[in-house]
């Protein structure tokens, strides 16, 4: 069942008196329970796409619907996690996770229950009373994920959430988010420039073309449902990764960046 749908989405930005077209007719369907990864070179419009779905900005043309309802602004049905720096520095870990819940019409005991559950799920039980600055980058991203999930959104939106982490931490976080996705059954829309990450996590990978951004290809990830890091060393994984990387590179070349 389709939960999130983008139809002919166009986004223009005014830049120094001219118009920069960041997205040009993007069509996308996210099914309930999908883990859809959108990849593309830097500047291909990944963050623009996510901010439109989040309702932080409006499309110039086209429509975005969530469960059939037009998206007109941000809402608790969409949880958002950025690369870094989105925590409230003066709030403890548990109060960061509780933040969105304080705005929902739920009672205190339900709020406490969810904070406990999502802290445990993201491995943060021992850090409840810590402040964000006392945590590592990976732990801070766990808090951001727990905070977004605690509202039990229809779709979890991730914009390069592990982009600033070292390789080992990043891989730990990939395993974690995949597990959380399985445990909660939530729908995930993630954008990343990292094709390896997209193939490891996704049920489908969408490749964006650049300049202007549009959907160049949609590839189902035909890999086992149970994924651990050893999967990254299999021939099936290598070949899927390589073919998607080729597509990304080809799209990048086509933008004419080399001629300018
Ligand atoms: P990505 O996340 O894939 O790197 P972005 O969505 O950030 O790509 O950007 C897509 C294009 O839109 C780029 O050319 C970028 O410079 C431009 N852009 C993004 N945000 C703005 C903005 N607020 N104002 C003007 N141009 C923007
Ligand atoms: Mg971006």
């Amino acid at each position: 069942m389709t939960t999130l749908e983008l139809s002919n989405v166009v986004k223009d930005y005014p830049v120094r008196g001219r118009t920069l077209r960041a997205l040009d007719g993007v069509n996308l369907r996210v099914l309930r329970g999908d883990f859809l990864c959108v990849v593309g070179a830097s500047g291909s419009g990944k963050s623009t796409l996510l901010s439109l779905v989040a309702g932080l900005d409006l499309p110039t043309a086209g429509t975005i619907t969530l469960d059939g309802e037009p998206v007109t602004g941000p809402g608790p049905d969409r949880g958002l996690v950025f690369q870094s720096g989105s925590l409230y520095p003066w709030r403890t870990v548990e109060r960061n996770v509780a933040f969105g819940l304080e705005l929902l019409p739920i009672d205190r005991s339900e709020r406490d229950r969810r904070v406990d559950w999502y802290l445990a799920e993201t491995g943060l039980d021992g850090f409840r009373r810590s402040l964000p600055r006392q945590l590592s980058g990976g732990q801070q991203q766990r808090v951001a994920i727990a905070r977004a999930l605690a509202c039990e959104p229809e779709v979890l939106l991730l914009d390069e959430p592990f982009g600033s982490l070292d390789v080992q931490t990043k891989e730990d976080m990939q395993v974690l988010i995949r597990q959380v996705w399985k445990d909660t059954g939530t729908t995930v829309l993630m954008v990343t420039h990292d094709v390896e990450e997209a193939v490891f996590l996704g049920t489908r990978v969408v490749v964006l073309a650049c300049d202007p951004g549009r959907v160049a290809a949609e590839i189902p990830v035909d890999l086992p449902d149970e994924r651990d890091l050893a999967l990254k060393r299999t021939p099936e994984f290598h070949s899927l990764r390589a073919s998607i990387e080729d597509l990304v590179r080809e799209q990048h070349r086509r933008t004419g960046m080399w001629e300018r």
Side-chain angles (χ1 to χ4, degrees), residues 13-15 20 22 40-49 159-160 208:
Y13 291 115
V15 179
L20 184 142
S42 170
S44 58
K46 300 183 298 295
S47 294
T48 298
L49 179 86
D159 189 349
E160 314 238 15
L208 285 190

Side-chain angles (χ1 to χ4, degrees), residues 138-196:
Q139 288 167 332
Q140 290 182 18
Q141 285 309 81
R142 286 171 194 252
V143 180
I145 291 167
R147 186 180 61 187
L149 284 169
C151 292
E152 303 191 337
E154 200 62 44
V155 192
L156 180 64
L157 305 172
L158 306 171
D159 189 349
E160 314 238 15
F162 314 136
S164 63
L165 305 176
D166 62 79
V167 178
Q168 282 75 33
T169 308
K170 181 186 213 172
E171 293 202 315
D172 289 346
M173 294 297 289
Q174 290 170 351
V175 170
L176 172 94
I177 197 73
R178 179 91 192 170
Q179 190 60 47
V180 167
W181 171 73
K182 295 211 85 173
D183 291 347
T184 59
T186 188
T187 307
V188 180
L189 175 60
M190 172 172 187
V191 306
T192 176
H193 69 276
D194 184 340
V195 173
E196 183 196 69

Side-chain angles (χ1 to χ4, degrees), residues 197-246:
E197 175 165 279
V199 172
F200 181 66
L201 292 175
T203 51
R204 276 192 300 148
V205 176
V206 166
V207 177
L208 285 190
C210 318
D211 213 8
R214 62 210 179 279
V215 174
E218 256 188 72
I219 301 111
V221 178
D222 211 358
L223 293 170
D225 198 36
E226 287 301 328
R227 296 187 193 174
D228 55 33
L229 293 169
L231 179 71
K232 292 189 180 184
R233 292 191 289 273
T234 63
E236 296 75 23
F237 188 88
H238 279 294
S239 96
L240 188 56
R241 174 187 172 176
S243 64
I244 297 176
E245 278 172 350
D246 285 347

